[in-house]
Amino acid sequence: MRVADFASGSGSNFEAIAKSDELKNLGLEIEILVCDQPKAHVLKRAKKYHIPVFVNQLADYPDRSTYEQAIIDKLKPLKIEYILLAGYMKVVTPTLLAAYPNHIINIHPSLLPKFSGLEAIERAYQSGDEVTGVTIHYIDEGVDTGPVIKQCKVVRLGNDTEASLEARIHQTEHQMYRQVILDLLNKNNEVAK
Ligand code: GRF
């Protein structure tokens, strides 16, 4: 299964996927990392795993549609089947959605629909909610909306700081993203039989 990862920042989710031998052995091929931030740490992680990168900045285009069209032009020859968003900080527009309908997956650090948008972990922590979590979903035209694939709860402990809660959320994200891709690979391999 040929995928493109999209990321803008640290890239811990990207690395959780890239380093998994289990996923590789089941046929996961990360063909490219698309990154909109030339200084993002995720670019160093991609180098470590010898994954090609496409650094593409919105500021270099007249509008979002042409920005995304440049991405599509890069992905099409690579025969990308799924796009995995992992901390990609741009809203995806109908241009990219139409090129990969129902094949773009996103991870969000809350139990959607709660705390959609930016700073989800901080807002969940400040809300005092006893339970927060992680959502992996197909994207649609909204922000952090679209059909849910998997949700997992993360319980807030009595002595949690925002940082300790965040660390557990990230751990949960890494496990969940690997599991969701594993399920997808198994499904695809089953269909191919
Ligand atoms: C994650 O919390 C993800 O859910 C959100 O952005 C963060 C990216 O973290 N969409 P990383 O760059 O994968 O470390």
Side-chain angles (χ1 to χ4, degrees):
M1 190 172 84
R2 301 165 71 85
V3 304
D5 273 25
F6 284 33
S8 306
S10 160
S12 68
N13 281 283
F14 164 79
E15 183 158 0
I17 299 165
K19 76 175 183 195
S20 168
D21 287 332
E22 192 182 12
L23 297 181
K24 206 179 290 170
N25 293 338
L26 277 170
L28 182 73
E29 295 174 54
I30 307 176
E31 294 296 324
I32 196 160
L33 168 73
V34 176
C35 180
D36 61 320
Q37 300 294 330
K39 292 190 178 151
H41 182 65
V42 69
L43 295 169
K44 293 203 176 78
R45 298 192 201 247
K47 201 167 176 195
K48 184 166 148 196
Y49 293 95
H50 310 289
I51 293 169
V53 300
F54 177 44
V55 179
N56 192 43
Q57 288 182 274
L58 180 57
D60 292 338
Y61 299 88
D63 54 41
R64 280 177 188 268
S65 180
T66 44
Y67 159 79
E68 286 189 346
Q69 190 55 52
I71 297 175
I72 295 166
D73 293 346
K74 191 82 185 175
L75 301 193
K76 283 293 170 189
L78 299 174
K79 305 211 178 316
I80 297 302
E81 298 167 78
Y82 281 91
I83 293 175
L84 308 175
L85 307 182
Y88 178 62
M89 302 304 285
K90 293 265 178 299
V91 174
V92 172
T93 81
T95 305
L96 189 59
L97 275 169
Y100 293 92
N102 308 314
H103 283 67
I104 308 180
I105 295 173
N106 183 43
I107 186 161
H108 185 80
S110 75
L111 292 177
L112 291 172
K114 279 198 114 173
F115 307 114
S116 62
L118 297 173
E119 282 144 20
I121 300 175
E122 185 186 330
R123 286 184 291 132
Y125 181 79
Q126 279 168 5
S127 77
D129 282 3
E130 283 174 19
V131 177
T132 181
V134 176
T135 304
I136 295 181
H137 62 104
Y138 290 105
I139 66 160
D140 62 14
E141 288 179 27
V143 174
D144 298 324
T145 55
V148 170
I149 302 170
K150 193 178 179 77
Q151 280 191 311
C152 289
K153 292 178 182 166
V154 175
V155 175
R156 182 185 170 136
L157 306 175
N159 57 355
D160 255 338
T161 59
E162 191 185 318
S164 63
L165 178 66
E166 180 167 356
R168 282 205 317 289
I169 288 178
H170 287 315
Q171 262 174 21
T172 304
E173 287 189 317
H174 302 162
Q175 287 163 7
M176 269 175 78
Y177 224 158
R178 280 196 299 263
Q179 188 59 51
V180 162
I181 298 165
L182 195 86
D183 293 346
L184 208 58
L185 287 162
N186 282 329
K187 212 168 82 189
N188 273 21
N189 291 341
E190 212 36 57
V191 171
K193 268 185 195 167

